Amino acid sequence: MSMLAVLRKILQEVHAAGDLSAVLEIIVKRVQQMMNTEVCSVYLFDPLTEKYVLMATEGLNPEAIGKIRLAPSEGVVGTVAARAEPLNLEDVTAHPSYRFIVGSGEEQFHSFLGAPIINQRKVLGVLVVQQKRRRRFDESEEAFLVTMSAQLAGVIAHGEVTSGLRVDAGSSLQVRQDARYDGVAGAPGVGVGTAVVIAPLANLDAVPDQQADDIDTELQRFREALGRVRHDIKVVGRSLARRLKGEEQALFDVYLRMLDDNALAGEIEQQIRQGQWAQGALRRVVQSHVREFELMDDLYLRERGTDIKDLGRRVLSCLQENGSNIPTQFPDQVVLVAEELTASMLGEVPIDKLVGLVSVTGSGNSHSAILARSMGIPTVMGVVDLSTTTVHNQPVIIDGFSGRLFVNPSEQLHRYYDVIIREELQLSKGLEQMRDLPAETLDGHHIPLCVNTGLVTDVALALVRGAEGVGLYRSEVPFMIKEFFPSEAEQIDSYRRQLLPFAPRPVTMRTLDIGGDKSLPYFPIDEQNSSLGWRGIRVTLDHPEIFLVQVRAMLQASEGLDNLRIMLPMISSVVEIDEAVALIDQAFAELIEDGCRLVKPQIGVMIEVPAAVYQVRSFARRVDFLSVGSNDLTQYLLAVDRNNPRVASLYNSYHPAVLAALLQIVVEAHKENVQVSICGELAGDPVGAILMLAMGYDMLSMSSTRLGKVKSAIRGITLDQAQLFLDTALSFDDPQSVQQALGQMLVDAGLGRLSRPQLQS
Ligand code: PEP
Ligand code: MG
């Protein structure tokens, strides 16, 4: 077998293992076999004692497990960890760091090869092989061990975290107290409630464990679903009978037999009788069989795993036919958990019960996080280690300030967060009182504060909070929660609901910005590199029928109100502006011909890709206004996917390169006497808002939940002070120093309460 095949096989086996200790046992056994060594051991770092502990071994005295404990740099293993590089020694006893450990049985082994296990820059442990004979391990052996430990690092890290949640043999859960999962801050605030997992339909692997409400009902539902699948298979088998050869025909019989009571069905029923709901029992049984088959060397047998998976999927879709991936009843305080949070999921839970959102994928600037922010629901994104199959119905606390989720929180943790919830409530009450006061500095400089909207509910909230208009209406949001493209009439209706309540204040409507992480269920765009792909204006120019209907709807909705502004997303060339403007002109002319009484709307473009930064003046000459999308601009300038939790710490709008671009944009736009605003998340940050004010931006647009804090910041300083903030920001060459210095300045200006609470680590 090739090395790659061996590696793949070990990984498969490891992935199928139940918990961390099983993972480690498999590793030492297989690596020892594969490399034909006498010893293979794994040491893992124990953060409590700060020592590397022998966790599993094949070849050393098993009694030493848990007992050999080495400090970093202590012994040869500690040296591998401290240097974070492999060590290949002909005779380990000759190494200056060698330490003889009584009772380990190590003394007979001379040759030593150790590789550090590193995940996300952290040395988690060391993987070691040893032999009696004095010899240096050869290059290919070293390469194998290094590759193995690199591959295993992620699995081990995941296993360490998930071992906080343990599933026992039956279906009940035993959960460690205060099990903590780190993610990325999505929307600020703290939510205390019960986790409710919404799994995507027809995805067996995502089905959560759940106690059956009523075992008999679950059994009955399962049998019904099974009956339907058996029936379908028979029908298909019969209809193909004449066209299939005998042995292919036999496959249908195999399928039917797999579903027999003394095969899969029996096992599933047994799980249900132990208290697991039907979907969870199905997942558990199917997964365990699939794993067994996948480990087999024989290709034919491996394929049978695929058959079982297919059968499982069929039964699941029967079980889910009445939408039963969505719970019928919700606890009073729901923390919604999903593998990938989507806009439509938000509509599944009664809004008065929703206290928090958690997404395993995505990052702080993913669109679902932005949506959550506008709804004011605390959110944590990118909780990559969370297993959605085991967290359902568990009590949780989510901390949307620091991006953390706690499962099964203790009394003490509850008390800690109760204080924060109270403080935040007080602050927001204080901010509400500023609603009718102007957004102007202590020395009287006014800067209009507008809002970003998407849902109809945003409008009411924005008006209550004193917004001066809409700086960004994300028109794709209503598209995302539908099942097909909305008709022209439907669009007119939803646009009117944005335009009317604000009139005569301006409402800036952005044309459809789909692609990237925003996809429509009925118009999927599946691309390898979606943020650089078919996105925003690129899609709508290729589909003028969609663009024209949307623009016609916007124009008609504005009849008699005359407060519409149209904005184009993701523009990277003047050609796109010219083409889009021509289409808007066409729609306008047609409607005038039809007798509509319209005023020509202002047209603007978003500056959100680097190319646009360098062409601000050319763009400005073609349109009436510009608006900076700092979310995308940051992503593209820094080459950091806004949606990827692995690089979330590199995504920072205070990066000097981003600040330099923002300053250049406003200076260039003003040379053409064109107004420029900013509608990315930076505008909703009190410090960001102060910088934009000092740079000369003409308007700031943010989610309405941010209005209070931003207005409070602006009313708390003078223009000169803001200029000082800007000068300071521009004097550093790394984002962390910028943020640190500005955070301190905010405190010095007496505005410290406006910065996000920084919680204990
Ligand atoms: C932006 O990119 O900053 C922006 C406002 O648009 P969106 O977040 O919808 O991409
Ligand atoms: Mg954008």
Side-chain angles (χ1 to χ4, degrees), residues 27-47:
I27 294 171
V28 292
K29 202 170 274 161
R30 295 283 174 258
V31 172
Q32 185 260 348
Q33 273 170 358
M34 176 57 203
M35 295 183 70
N36 204 10
T37 59
E38 280 136 8
V39 174
C40 177
S41 316
V42 180
Y43 296 77
L44 289 189
F45 186 66
D46 171 14

Side-chain angles (χ1 to χ4, degrees), residues 365-367 370 452 472 474 476 510 513 517-518 535 567 569-570 606-608 627-636 642 651 678-682 701:
N365 285 288
S366 301
H367 284 90
I370 291 177
N452 298 347
L472 166 65
R474 290 187 166 96
E476 59 280 0
R510 178 171 75 182
D513 183 20
D517 70 327
K518 285 181 286 194
R535 240 202 95 169
M567 183 156 79
M570 274 294 285
M606 293 193 70
I607 304 292
E608 48 184 354
S627 184
V628 178
S630 58
N631 306 336
D632 277 314
L633 189 60
T634 303
Q635 138 163 290
Y636 294 125
R642 63 193 269 190
Y651 182 99
I678 175 161
C679 60
E681 297 301 293
L682 188 62
S701 189

Side-chain angles (χ1 to χ4, degrees), residues 118-124 153 157 384-385 645-647:
I118 302 179
N119 187 51
Q120 295 195 327
R121 304 184 184 193
K122 268 201 342 233
V123 181
L124 302 178
V384 288
D385 286 320
R646 246 192 232 164
V647 288

Side-chain angles (χ1 to χ4, degrees), residues 375-418:
M375 293 167 78
I377 305 171
T379 301
V380 180
M381 303 289 292
V383 194
V384 288
D385 286 320
L386 183 69
S387 146
T388 53
T389 54
T390 50
V391 76
H392 187 66
N393 269 342
Q394 298 294 328
V396 292
I397 293 183
I398 87 159
D399 175 346
F401 295 112
S402 59
R404 280 178 196 157
L405 170 74
F406 295 92
V407 181
N408 198 13
S410 59
E411 246 330 284
Q412 195 188 1
L413 201 68
H414 270 290
R415 275 201 298 276
Y416 175 81
Y417 276 108
D418 283 348

Side-chain angles (χ1 to χ4, degrees), residues 338-356:
E339 191 67 29
E340 185 182 357
L341 198 64
T342 62
S344 59
M345 275 180 198
L346 301 184
E348 308 284 4
V349 184
I351 194 76
D352 55 322
K353 294 190 167 185
L354 197 57
V355 300

